[in-house]
C-alpha cells in the first residue's frame, strides 16, 4: 500500500489542511494527517489535475523542431525567414525544409509557389499553417508530393493533411522521444492528461510509447475513420482503459472533420467570406455531408465510441447539431468557434459537449473581426454556452496554441493578451468555471477523488488573468505519483 500525506495545502483559498493519499486516491482531508511519506506544501494551493482536451502531440513535438514563421507579417517575410534558416539549419539530405506557424489571413501579399521559389530555389520547402489546415509549398515540394502544376502552391484541408502526414519523416523511436519530452514539459504546467487527436493509429502508438516509459500523462487516444473498423472489431469503447498501460491509456473519442478553419477561410459559414464572394468555396468548405455523417454517428455511438465532430463555422455547427439530433446520440463538437444564437441551447438539449480552445481567440481576434465582421459577439462563446447549460471542456489544439492549461484558463477568464483590451469580455467565464472545464468537471479537490492533482504557488481563484497565464506550478501528481515536483 502506497501512502502519502500532503500537509499544509490550501483548497479554494482556505486555511491549510492535509490530504492523505492511499493507493492513488484521496482518502482523507483534514488536520494533523500523517503518513510514512509526508511533504509539507507550506501553504501552497491544491487544485484538480488539469487536462488538455484537444491536442496533436506528434505535431506539437515536431513543430518545436521546425522553422518558426509565426511572426511573419507577409508572404515575402515568411519566405525570407525560410531562406535564412536554410543557411543556418539546412534540411537533412533528401528531406524538405519545413516551417510552421504562418497565418496569412491578414497578409498584404498572397502566399504563392513563386514567392517561395524566388527565395528557396530548388530546395523542397513546405510551410504548415498555424491552424494545421493548409500547407504552402514551392515548386520543388509540389513536385515531390504529387501536386505538380498546382495553380497557387497553397494546399487546403485534405490535400494539406496528405502532405503533413508525409512529413513524419523521423523514426518512431526519435519521435517518441520528442513526444516524451513534450509530455514532461506539459506535466510541469499541471497537465495530468490529454485527449490526443493526432491523425494516426493513436491506440497503437501510445501503447508503444507507454511501454518504453512515457508515463508523464494520461492519454485518451482519438480514433479516425481509417482505424475505426479495427477499433470496433477489437471492442474498444470510449473511456475503457487499455491493459498493461498502468491505467494511463484509454480509448478516446472518434473524430471526424466536417469543415476547415478560420485562418484558412475554410470554416463553413452561413455568410460568405469578404473578398471571396462568388468563389466556389466562398462560404468555406463542408467536407462531410449530412448523409454521410448521420450514419457514421449512429455506427460509432452504437459501438460505444463517443463521436467528436470538428465544426468551426456557424453553419458547420448547425449541421453537426442537426446530425446529432437525427442520429439520436450524444457526442462532442470540437472548436465550436462561431455558433448561431439559436443553436446555443441545442448543445445541452442534445447532450453535446462543447470543446473549445480559448487561446485561439487571442490569436484569431483580428482575423475574426475581418472575416466574421458583425458576428464576433458569438465567436468563442464560452459564457453563452455555459449559460445555455452546455458542458464545456477546454484545450489548446497544440501546436495551434500552447499546451499550457494556465494559458488556456487565462484566455477564458480575461479574453485578452499582450496588453490589449478584452475581446468581447461578455463571453468571459470565471476562473472556477475555467478550472472545472479544464479538469473534466472537477471544481475542487475532494475526498474520494483519484489523486490527480496540481499544486501551485498562488491562489488561482484570486489571481489576475496575467498571473494565471504565468502560474508557478510546484507539483503535478497522477494517482498520487509525482510527474513533476520542485518540493523535494
Amino acid at each position: 500500500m502506497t501512502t502519502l500525506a500532503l500537509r499544509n495545502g490550501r483548497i479554494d483559498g482556505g486555511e491549510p489542511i492535509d490530504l492523505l493519499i492511499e493507493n492513488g486516491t484521496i482518502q482523507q482531508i483534514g488536520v494533523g494527517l500523517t503518513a510514512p511519506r509526508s511533504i509539507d506544501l507550506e501553504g501552497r494551493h491544491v487544485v484538480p489535475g488539469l487536462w488538455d482536451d484537444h491536442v496533436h502531440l506528434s505535431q506539437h513535438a515536431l513543430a518545436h523542431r521546425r522553422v518558426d514563421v509565426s511572426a511573419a507579417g507577409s508572404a515575402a517575410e515568411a519566405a525570407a525567414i525560410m531562406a535564412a534558416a536554410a543557411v543556418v539549419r539546412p534540411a537533412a539530405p533528401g528531406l524538405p525544409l519545413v516551417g510552421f506557424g504562418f497565418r496569412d489571413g491578414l497578409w498584404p501579399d498572397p502566399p504563392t509557389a513563386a514567392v517561395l521559389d524566388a527565395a528557396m530555389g530548388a530546395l523542397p520547402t513546405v510551410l504548415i499553417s498555424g491552424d494545421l489546415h493548409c500547407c504552402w509549398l514551392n515548386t520543388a515540394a509540389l513536385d515531390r508530393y504529387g501536386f505538380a502544376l498546382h495553380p497557387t502552391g497553397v494546399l487546403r484541408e485534405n490535400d494539406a493533411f496528405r502532405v503533413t502526414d508525409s512529413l513524419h519523416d523521423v523514426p518512431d523511436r526519435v519521435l517518441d522521444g520528442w513526444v516524451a519530452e513534450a509530455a514532461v514539459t506539459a506535466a510541469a504546467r499541471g497537465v495530468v492528461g490529454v485527449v490526443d487527436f493526432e491523425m494516426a493509429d493513436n491506440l497503437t502508438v501510445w501503447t508503444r510509447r507507454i511501454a518504453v516509459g512515457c508515463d508523464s500523462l494520461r492519454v485518451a487516444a482519438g480514433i479516425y475513420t481509417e482505424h475505426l473498423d479495427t477499433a470496433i472489431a477489437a471492442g474498444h469503447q470510449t473511456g475503457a482503459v487499455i491493459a498493461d498501460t498502468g491505467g494511463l491509456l484509454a480509448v478516446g473519442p472518434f473524430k471526424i472533420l466536417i469543415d476547415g478553419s478560420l485562418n484558412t477561410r475554410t470554416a463553413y459559414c452561413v455568410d460568405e467570406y469578404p473578398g471571396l464572394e462568388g468563389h466556389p468555396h466562398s462560404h468555406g468548405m463542408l467536407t462531410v455531408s449530412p448523409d454521410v455523417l448521420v450514419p457514421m454517428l449512429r455506427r460509432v455511438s452504437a459501438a460505444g465510441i463517443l463521436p467528436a465532430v470538428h465544426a468551426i463555422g456557424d453553419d458547420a455547427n448547425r449541421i453537426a447539431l442537426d446530425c446529432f439530433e437525427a442520429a439520436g446520440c450524444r457526442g462532442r463538437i470540437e472548436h465550436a468557434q462561431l455558433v448561431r444564437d439559436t443553436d446555443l441551447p441545442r448543445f445541452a438539449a442534445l447532450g453535446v459537449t462543447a470543446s473549445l480552445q480559448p487561446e485561439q481567440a487571442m490569436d484569431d481576434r483580428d482575423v475574426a473581426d475581418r472575416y466574421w465582421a458583425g458576428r464576433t459577439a458569438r465567436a468563442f462563446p464560452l459564457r453563452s454556452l455555459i449559460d445555455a447549460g452546455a458542458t464545456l471542456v477546454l484545450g489548446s489544439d497544440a501546436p495551434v496554441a500552447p499546451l499550457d492549461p494556465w494559458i488556456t484558463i487565462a484566455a477564458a477568464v480575461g479574453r485578452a493578451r499582450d496588453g490589449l483590451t478584452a475581446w468581447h469580455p461578455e463571453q468571459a467565464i470565471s476562473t472556477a468555471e475555467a478550472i472545472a472545464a479544464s479538469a473534466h468537471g472537477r471544481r475542487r479537490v475532494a475526498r474520494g477523488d483519484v489523486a490527480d492533482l496540481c499544486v501551485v504557488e498562488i491562489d488561482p481563484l484570486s489571481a489576475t488573468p496575467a498571473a494565471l497565464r504565468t502560474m508557478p506550478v510546484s507539483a503535478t501528481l497522477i494517482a498520487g505519483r509525482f510527474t513533476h515536483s520542485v518540493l523535494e
Side-chain angles (χ1 to χ4, degrees):
M1 177 181 292
T2 302
T3 306
L4 169 68
L6 299 178
R7 302 184 61 249
N8 297 313
R10 300 177 190 271
I11 297 174
D12 289 347
E15 293 299 313
I17 56 173
D18 307 329
L19 286 76
L20 185 66
I21 299 170
E22 293 181 346
N23 292 332
T25 302
I26 302 171
Q27 296 294 334
Q28 296 183 57
I29 298 178
V31 178
L33 303 179
T34 60
R37 185 185 183 197
S38 294
I39 295 177
D40 192 344
L41 299 184
E42 299 179 342
R44 293 178 174 89
H45 300 264
V46 186
V47 299
L50 302 173
W51 278 72
D52 190 313
D53 253 81
H54 191 125
V55 302
H56 303 267
L57 262 182
S58 293
Q59 288 293 329
H60 172 67
L62 287 164
H64 285 280
R65 289 159 177 85
R66 290 169 170 166
V67 180
D68 183 0
V69 293
S70 60
S74 67
E77 187 176 348
I81 292 172
M82 295 300 293
V87 175
V88 299
R89 50 178 295 185
L95 296 179
L97 185 65
V98 182
F100 174 77
F102 81 91
R103 299 175 186 273
D104 66 317
L106 300 177
W107 282 0
D109 54 341
T112 65
V115 171
L116 277 183
D117 288 346
M120 307 304 296
L123 174 64
T125 304
V126 179
L127 279 71
I128 302 170
S129 66
D131 60 18
L132 299 177
H133 280 259
C134 70
C135 294
W136 174 21
L137 290 72
N138 69 348
T139 298
L142 289 169
D143 291 344
R144 180 188 182 103
Y145 294 107
F147 292 96
L149 304 179
H150 190 276
T152 67
V154 177
L155 308 178
R156 293 177 169 83
E157 303 309 324
N158 291 332
D159 287 343
F161 300 151
R162 280 175 51 194
V163 173
T164 302
D165 185 60
S166 298
L167 294 173
H168 286 198
D169 47 25
V170 297
D172 288 344
R173 62 177 179 79
V174 175
L175 182 55
D176 289 353
W178 292 347
V179 169
E181 292 174 11
V184 169
T185 300
R189 298 303 298 147
V191 180
V192 298
V194 298
V195 179
D196 191 3
F197 283 123
E198 190 65 53
M199 291 183 176
D201 183 4
N202 290 309
L203 287 167
T204 299
V205 167
W206 276 103
T207 298
R208 180 186 72 233
R209 288 172 177 168
I210 292 169
V212 296
C214 184
D215 63 355
S216 298
L217 300 174
R218 299 186 187 276
V219 177
I223 301 167
Y224 283 84
T225 301
E226 55 266 41
H227 306 294
L228 182 59
D229 289 345
T230 300
I232 291 176
H236 291 315
Q237 297 188 342
T238 298
V241 175
I242 301 300
D244 301 322
T245 63
L248 294 177
L249 179 61
V251 180
F254 165 76
K255 186 183 177 187
I256 186 166
L257 293 81
I258 69 167
D259 76 338
S261 69
L262 167 59
N263 276 280
T264 302
R265 278 83 74 199
T266 47
Y268 194 62
C269 297
V270 172
D271 299 285
E272 290 184 300
Y273 285 90
L276 293 180
E277 293 86 355
H279 186 277
H281 298 302
S282 63
H283 292 265
M285 295 175 66
L286 186 68
T287 56
V288 176
S289 64
D291 61 341
V292 172
L293 182 57
V294 171
M296 185 72 77
L297 296 180
R298 287 178 177 147
R299 182 185 181 213
V300 298
S301 181
I305 300 174
L306 188 75
V309 177
H310 166 117
I312 288 182
D314 52 1
D315 217 18
N317 276 278
R318 174 192 64 79
I319 289 168
L321 291 165
D322 287 349
C323 290
F324 275 115
E325 185 170 14
C329 69
R330 296 172 176 268
R332 293 166 46 133
I333 289 182
E334 303 300 320
H335 310 304
Q337 288 184 6
L338 188 67
V339 181
R340 303 184 310 169
D341 291 338
T342 53
D343 285 328
L344 290 166
R346 301 179 69 199
F347 282 82
L350 296 172
V352 175
T353 295
S355 170
L356 275 75
Q357 300 75 42
E359 181 68 359
Q360 290 186 29
M362 303 301 93
D363 293 324
D364 291 350
R365 57 187 289 174
D366 293 339
V367 177
D369 283 338
R370 175 171 177 178
Y371 291 105
W372 290 345
R375 292 167 280 161
T376 53
R378 49 188 177 87
F380 298 89
L382 305 178
R383 178 80 271 150
S384 294
L385 283 164
I386 287 180
D387 288 349
T391 297
L392 184 68
V393 296
L394 301 181
S396 65
D397 202 11
V400 180
L403 204 175
D404 185 331
W406 294 106
I407 289 177
T408 295
I409 290 166
V413 172
R415 303 279 294 198
R417 190 183 69 197
D418 302 327
L420 299 175
T421 58
W423 188 64
H424 291 290
E426 72 277 6
Q427 290 294 351
I429 61 177
S430 71
T431 302
E433 289 169 328
I435 289 175
S438 300
H440 286 186
R442 293 175 64 195
R443 288 186 167 267
R444 69 195 306 269
V445 174
R447 180 181 177 184
D449 284 353
V450 173
D452 289 0
L453 302 170
C454 175
V455 180
V456 294
E457 294 285 337
I458 61 176
D459 181 8
L461 297 182
S462 61
T464 65
L468 288 169
R469 190 169 282 272
T470 58
M471 175 66 71
V473 177
S474 303
T476 308
L477 299 89
I478 293 178
R481 172 178 61 87
F482 284 97
T483 56
H484 164 73
S485 179
V486 298
L487 300 176
E488 297 180 297

